[in-house]
Amino acid sequence: MLEVPEIDEMICKELSHHNLAQCARVCKKWHRSAIPHLWHTLIIPTKHQEDEIYEHQESLRNMALEDYLYEQQLHLPSEGMKPQLSPFMPPLAKYGHWIRQLPQPAVLMHELEPPIVFSQPLEMPDPEITTAELLRHVYKRCSNLQVHSLDVTEYYPFGDISKTIAEFLLPTVRILSLHISDPWYLKYLLNHCTDTLVELSLRVNIIYDATRNDKKDQQLQQESKTLESLKKLTLEKAYDDSESKSFWPWLFERCSHVERLEVVHLGQIHQILADNMLTYMPNVNEIRFGKDQHEDYILYDKDVATLLSGSRQGWKVVEFKQNIILIFGHVAQEALTKHFPTLEKLILDDRHDFWGYDLAPILLSSPNLHSLTAFAIDSLSLCSLKTWPYETTLRVLKIRIVDIPRPDLRDYEILILRTLRVVS
């Protein structure tokens, strides 16, 4: 394009895939500038997508098949007649090293599956090529992948897929989400993560203590290591009906550097979670209950108190998201009181059972508190707080008061507003 590589880089980043493909056909110089951007991200086209790399839905599978068979022919024994290879190298073999981003494994698996409708397939000497083999071949060709986030769901047969994911994706992943019920595969995949992993999210429903054999289990335990860069752990779903509950100590022992914990759906493992946090996670100081855009669920008073007791050095941030129906009773309040000396940020939505008279102990006993978002039911409790010792440290105070009269509303409308806890 131009003589300045930096300007070429800026121009190519603004072009669509269609325009990049046209630029690559102009001349060799433009080709060298456009190809790395054209193949940077492998997109999956849809029927209604105008900006497509491929012409039809089966193009990705056909491209992978073509490249797979090309490599197989290259490795055929030299005895007898030599295989008749195409004079042109397949695009995946030629440009695969430029690919940095691929779709999630589930999407890629779907695109690589054989089509249901028969539609002029490539001539294949071996029609028994499995989807798992094609997936492994694609990852092998994309030798310079940069895996920022990865979502792994349990496939069938998951054994072959897990080996491929562990070998090619997990060593460089930064954000990992696992939706797996087999604790053995959970350990296997987590053992292949490296110090690049900073966020881990789990949806786990363990039904039984899964083991393979004694040698493999012992090897798995010996290979386990601490995830030193892991700072955030999210338990979107954590159910465990197994007898031993042995997965959780194994997990938390490797999460000793975690500082932020988010919990959404927990089974009857609140106490196990709290005990393991105290034993293995000395640095955790932020806890968030619930998750944005998630289904509602109830969090009871004793469960809140149990989880709040799991910080060794005291919570700095406690947040309850909107999707939680929180029963914030006496037991939970007493557990939160123990963390007032370290508390810096407290956020509760107006759906939570938290009233104006609960604010006074927090404001009076939290010297480091700088942000408070809560719900107040009456103005009288606030008026009693004319001053408090640490008011100069508070930078953000968001509360809702429901008993301030509005002259534009009639009495029964004010009553409805109070019932719905809407700001009046």
Side-chain angles (χ1 to χ4, degrees):
M1 292 184 181
L2 301 176
E3 296 296 334
V4 184
E6 290 78 7
I7 298 179
D8 289 350
E9 185 86 6
M10 295 172 62
I11 293 174
C12 289
K13 285 182 178 180
E14 300 298 324
L15 297 178
S16 65
H17 279 86
H18 177 71
N19 291 335
L20 284 170
Q22 289 181 320
C23 290
R25 298 188 184 104
V26 174
C27 62
K28 291 183 178 180
K29 185 177 179 180
W30 283 38
H31 183 273
R32 287 194 298 268
S33 299
I35 281 297
H37 296 273
L38 179 63
W39 285 88
H40 180 278
T41 303
L42 193 65
I43 62 173
I44 303 297
T46 61
K47 292 181 180 180
H48 305 289
Q49 184 176 337
E50 297 179 357
D51 183 17
E52 295 183 358
I53 299 179
Y54 311 112
E55 297 179 358
H56 52 83
Q57 287 184 320
E58 299 170 25
S59 56
L60 179 58
R61 172 177 168 81
N62 288 341
M63 182 178 68
L65 278 172
E66 179 188 9
D67 191 79
Y68 181 89
L69 296 176
Y70 179 85
E71 187 183 43
Q72 293 295 316
Q73 289 176 339
L74 285 177
H75 293 86
L76 287 176
S78 58
E79 299 177 0
M81 295 181 61
K82 293 184 178 180
Q84 295 182 355
L85 296 175
S86 170
F88 301 102
M89 184 181 294
L92 194 59
K94 191 174 183 180
Y95 302 117
H97 65 282
W98 289 115
I99 297 177
R100 300 294 185 269
Q101 301 287 335
L102 282 175
Q104 293 291 343
V107 178
L108 200 56
M109 283 280 293
H110 176 72
E111 293 297 323
L112 293 176
E113 288 177 352
I116 298 177
V117 180
F118 186 82
S119 58
Q120 299 179 352
L122 295 173
E123 294 182 2
M124 297 184 299
D126 183 8
E128 299 300 327
I129 300 174
T130 65
T131 305
E133 289 176 317
L134 276 184
L135 182 70
R136 183 177 181 82
H137 180 76
V138 170
Y139 285 137
K140 183 180 178 181
R141 283 297 193 202
C142 305
S143 57
N144 296 312
L145 280 178
Q146 297 174 352
V147 186
H148 179 70
S149 60
L150 181 63
D151 190 347
V152 181
T153 306
E154 211 158 3
Y155 308 98
Y156 179 81
F158 188 66
D160 296 334
I161 306 301
S162 64
K163 294 178 182 178
T164 300
I165 292 173
E167 181 178 351
F168 294 101
L169 301 184
L170 292 183
T172 60
V173 69
R174 290 179 54 82
I175 302 175
L176 176 62
S177 178
L178 296 177
H179 299 186
I180 301 175
S181 299
D182 191 324
W184 193 92
Y185 278 121
L186 282 167
K187 295 179 182 179
Y188 175 78
L189 293 175
L190 289 174
N191 273 346
H192 284 80
C193 296
T194 64
D195 290 342
T196 61
L197 184 66
V198 295
E199 294 186 18
L200 174 62
S201 177
L202 296 177
R203 291 180 62 89
V204 182
N205 185 12
I206 300 175
I207 302 175
Y208 53 87
D209 294 312
T211 58
R212 294 299 176 266
N213 57 55
D214 292 339
K215 291 184 178 180
K216 285 189 175 183
D217 288 338
Q218 291 176 3
Q219 183 180 2
L220 202 61
Q221 294 290 344
Q222 292 174 357
E223 293 176 352
S224 300
K225 59 182 180 179
T226 302
L227 301 171
E228 296 185 358
S229 299
L230 183 63
K231 302 300 181 183
K232 177 183 175 183
L233 175 63
T234 301
L235 300 178
E236 293 188 27
K237 181 180 180 182
Y239 290 178
D240 191 345
D241 295 328
S242 66
E243 184 177 351
S244 67
K245 306 285 193 299
S246 60
F247 171 72
W248 304 105
W250 181 94
L251 172 67
F252 288 114
E253 188 176 359
R254 282 138 193 86
C255 299
S256 57
H257 295 271
V258 168
E259 298 175 357
R260 177 177 173 180
L261 176 67
E262 294 189 0
V263 294
V264 185
H265 281 282
L266 297 180
Q268 303 301 319
I269 65 165
H270 299 86
Q271 190 61 55
I272 297 175
L273 178 58
D275 293 341
N276 283 287
M277 282 193 292
L278 289 172
T279 305
Y280 300 114
M281 300 171 65
N283 300 315
V284 62
N285 55 37
E286 298 184 22
I287 186 168
R288 286 169 171 83
F289 298 87
K291 192 175 182 180
D292 296 330
Q293 300 178 351
H294 206 278
E295 64 271 16
D296 293 347
Y297 77 103
I298 299 177
L299 191 59
Y300 292 100
D301 184 33
K302 62 179 177 124
D303 296 331
V304 176
T306 300
L307 294 175
L308 288 177
S309 67
S311 177
R312 189 186 301 180
Q313 62 179 5
W315 297 111
K316 292 183 178 180
V317 178
V318 178
E319 180 178 352
F320 297 88
K321 298 292 184 69
Q322 187 175 3
N323 66 311
I324 294 180
I325 302 174
L326 177 64
I327 311 300
F328 202 86
H330 175 71
V331 179
Q333 291 181 28
E334 185 177 352
L336 182 62
T337 303
K338 298 178 182 179
H339 301 278
F340 284 168
T342 59
L343 192 63
E344 297 179 1
K345 186 176 182 180
L346 176 63
I347 298 178
L348 299 104
D349 189 79
D350 59 3
R351 297 176 62 186
H352 303 143
D353 191 12
F354 193 81
W355 312 112
Y357 52 78
D358 297 321
L359 294 180
I362 298 175
L363 294 174
L364 292 172
S365 307
S366 303
N368 300 310
L369 187 68
H370 61 72
S371 181
L372 174 62
T373 301
F375 180 80
I377 193 173
D378 64 297
S379 59
L380 293 177
S381 59
L382 297 180
C383 292
S384 62
L385 285 172
K386 296 179 181 180
T387 60
W388 59 90
Y390 311 110
E391 61 181 74
T392 56
T393 65
L394 194 63
R395 298 195 298 267
V396 178
L397 177 61
K398 295 181 181 180
I399 56 176
R400 298 189 181 187
I401 308 171
V402 297
D403 63 345
I404 298 177
R406 287 174 51 177
D408 58 325
L409 297 178
R410 293 186 294 273
D411 292 341
Y412 71 89
E413 290 175 327
I414 295 177
L415 179 61
I416 293 175
L417 286 177
R418 287 178 178 174
T419 304
L420 298 177
R421 300 182 183 177
V422 178
V423 177
S424 59

